[in-house]
Amino acid sequence: MRVLVSGGAGYIGSHTVLSLVAAGHDVVVVDDFSNSKPTVVGRLEALSGVHVPVHAIDLTDAAKTERLFAHEQIDAVVHFAGLKAVGESVAKPLEYYRNNLDSTLSLLEAMRHHGVHRLVFSSSATVYGEHAPVPYTEDYDRLSSSSPYGQTKVMIERIMADVAAADPALRVALLRYFNPVGAHPSGQIGEDPQGIPNNLMPFIAQVAVGRRDKLTVFGDDYPTADGTCERDYLHVEDLAAGHVAALEHLDDMVTPVRAFNLGTGTGTSVLAMLQAFERAVGRELPYEVGPRRAGDLPAFWADPTRAQTELGWQAVKTIDDMCADTWRWQQANPQGFPDA
Ligand code: UFG
């Protein structure tokens, strides 16, 4: 298939580009580079051995999106592009709703106009909200999210379901990610947050490489084994493989729109993650315990049974793999991707 990857220069998108090429697909990237560097593209081409066509456009521009589809022959879309910082979305809700919804609407319109009816969407475990029983299962239907970012995921899932209900040809896989971490084993691509990292793993990696003084653990008085929050961390390479599996399964899905959890099914605490990273680095890393972060849930993880049975997909990489690969990437690229 010739697959349009929106947000293909980003963290998960770039790893998925490599997995798609390795699986024999042609890839076209669209990215506005608002949260990624163009230099990732050269690395993707070096690692994959193929030319990766890139369209540097903003998908909220419906006319440009339409021209992109007129110009390229597209069989399927994997839609990652979007703003994704939980805290920022609380401060800038309009930007989040405008950007994430408009870009998706442009894509869906262009897909309809050009008869493209295969879609894989980058959703999130955040759609389960605060009250879903753990482990999360896909049939939980009171989806909600406490942040505007998370609400855009809930809304986009709904929009896609409505559009599919009106278009019998459309097939949509909604992939609900748990906590993606790790990097390509080459150390050439990885997560490169701009500014102070919001997420645990890149923060620990920047402490390890000397860019930050110490990790602040956000609360150690949660009702968990060691008092710190537990999350279902999965390796970005496993996650990328999940996209290929979902894409190749679209035509055989039991319903035209299907949600799949992509996680390991196991929770790991903040302190256990820090210890695993210390094993990868070979020394202790400085940390302090601070107050809880607003909005954090104590513990959640996936029930990944549906992805296993229907997609034949299972996460195989360990927490130690995730830390070793993140550390390799961070050591080789202490400041992330170069500007040029
Ligand atoms: N944490 C720290 N210190 C830090 C950063 C994080 O202690 O400096 C803790 C958090 O409190 C949390 C855990 O590490 O307990 C994981 O935090 P992340 O920010 O890495 O991940 P979250 O589970 O909070 O967020 C993820 C995704 C979001 C998604 C959210 C809810 O990054 O996109 O899950 O599903 F919305």
Side-chain angles (χ1 to χ4, degrees):
M1 281 185 257
R2 189 161 170 80
V3 185
L4 179 69
V5 182
S6 81
Y11 171 46
I12 303 170
S14 59
H15 288 82
T16 301
V17 165
L18 292 181
S19 296
L20 286 166
V21 172
H25 299 288
D26 287 335
V27 171
V28 178
V29 165
V30 56
D31 204 299
D32 70 355
F33 296 102
S34 59
N35 192 29
S36 58
K37 299 263 179 74
T39 49
V40 71
V41 178
R43 295 193 180 187
L44 290 178
E45 293 188 328
L47 287 166
S48 67
V50 301
H51 169 60
V52 179
V54 178
H55 295 261
I57 65 165
D58 178 346
L59 292 170
T60 63
D61 187 328
K64 286 185 180 161
T65 306
E66 166 59 31
R67 281 203 290 280
L68 164 62
F69 276 76
H71 179 78
E72 298 277 5
Q73 187 66 42
I74 303 295
D75 300 310
V77 175
V78 182
H79 180 31
F80 293 101
L83 302 175
K84 61 164 191 176
V86 174
E88 183 186 59
S89 79
V90 175
K92 299 179 174 175
L94 272 174
E95 282 84 344
Y96 272 67
Y97 288 115
R98 171 68 77 196
N99 183 83
N100 291 3
L101 297 178
D102 266 2
S103 53
T104 303
L105 295 172
S106 299
L107 261 182
L108 287 167
E109 283 172 351
M111 287 176 67
R112 182 177 61 181
H113 189 202
H114 293 274
V116 179
H117 46 252
R118 295 190 190 93
L119 176 59
V120 174
F121 176 57
S122 170
S123 190
S124 165
T126 195
V127 301
Y128 291 110
E130 292 171 35
H131 305 294
V134 176
Y136 293 164
T137 54
E138 293 89 346
D139 48 23
Y140 182 79
D141 58 4
R142 277 168 294 155
L143 302 182
S144 71
S145 182
S146 52
S147 72
Y149 154 74
Q151 264 321 104
T152 69
K153 296 295 184 189
V154 175
M155 290 176 180
I156 292 168
E157 285 200 6
R158 179 59 195 262
I159 290 168
M160 289 177 174
D162 289 345
V163 173
D167 176 359
L170 190 62
R171 294 287 176 277
V172 187
L174 307 168
L175 303 186
R176 296 175 179 162
Y177 314 155
F178 284 70
N179 288 61
V181 299
H184 191 266
S186 66
Q188 287 295 298
I189 58 169
E191 189 169 11
D192 181 19
Q194 307 302 301
I196 300 169
N198 299 305
N199 299 111
L200 178 64
M201 192 69 144
F203 201 104
I204 295 177
Q206 290 193 8
V207 171
V209 84
R211 281 175 69 181
R212 313 266 160 214
D213 289 343
K214 57 176 179 285
L215 172 72
T216 301
V217 175
F218 297 143
D220 68 350
D221 57 351
Y222 285 96
T224 58
D226 67 17
T228 65
C229 294
E230 295 173 1
R231 293 287 182 275
D232 185 341
Y233 298 94
L234 80 158
H235 198 292
V236 66
E237 286 235 291
D238 282 331
L239 184 60
H243 290 73
V244 178
L247 179 77
E248 294 178 349
H249 179 76
L250 279 173
D251 294 344
D252 306 316
M253 289 195 307
V254 298
T255 51
V257 179
R258 194 95 176 131
F260 297 96
N261 287 340
L262 296 184
T264 65
T266 311
T268 301
S269 75
V270 175
L271 287 179
M273 217 49 196
L274 177 65
Q275 286 157 8
F277 210 92
E278 290 175 338
R279 287 196 293 278
V281 178
R283 62 187 151 83
E284 290 191 0
L285 298 173
Y287 77 95
E288 64 179 7
V289 176
R292 291 182 177 195
R293 182 172 68 178
D296 276 343
L297 297 175
F300 62 86
W301 51 90
D303 177 343
T305 308
R306 182 184 286 180
Q308 268 169 39
T309 55
E310 297 183 15
L311 303 179
W313 173 88
Q314 198 171 354
V316 293
K317 302 224 179 198
T318 65
I319 293 284
D320 286 313
D321 296 330
M322 301 173 207
C323 292
D325 290 337
T326 302
W327 182 227
R328 192 175 305 108
W329 149 254
Q330 192 71 75
Q331 271 186 300
N333 304 273
Q335 303 298 325
F337 290 106
D339 287 326

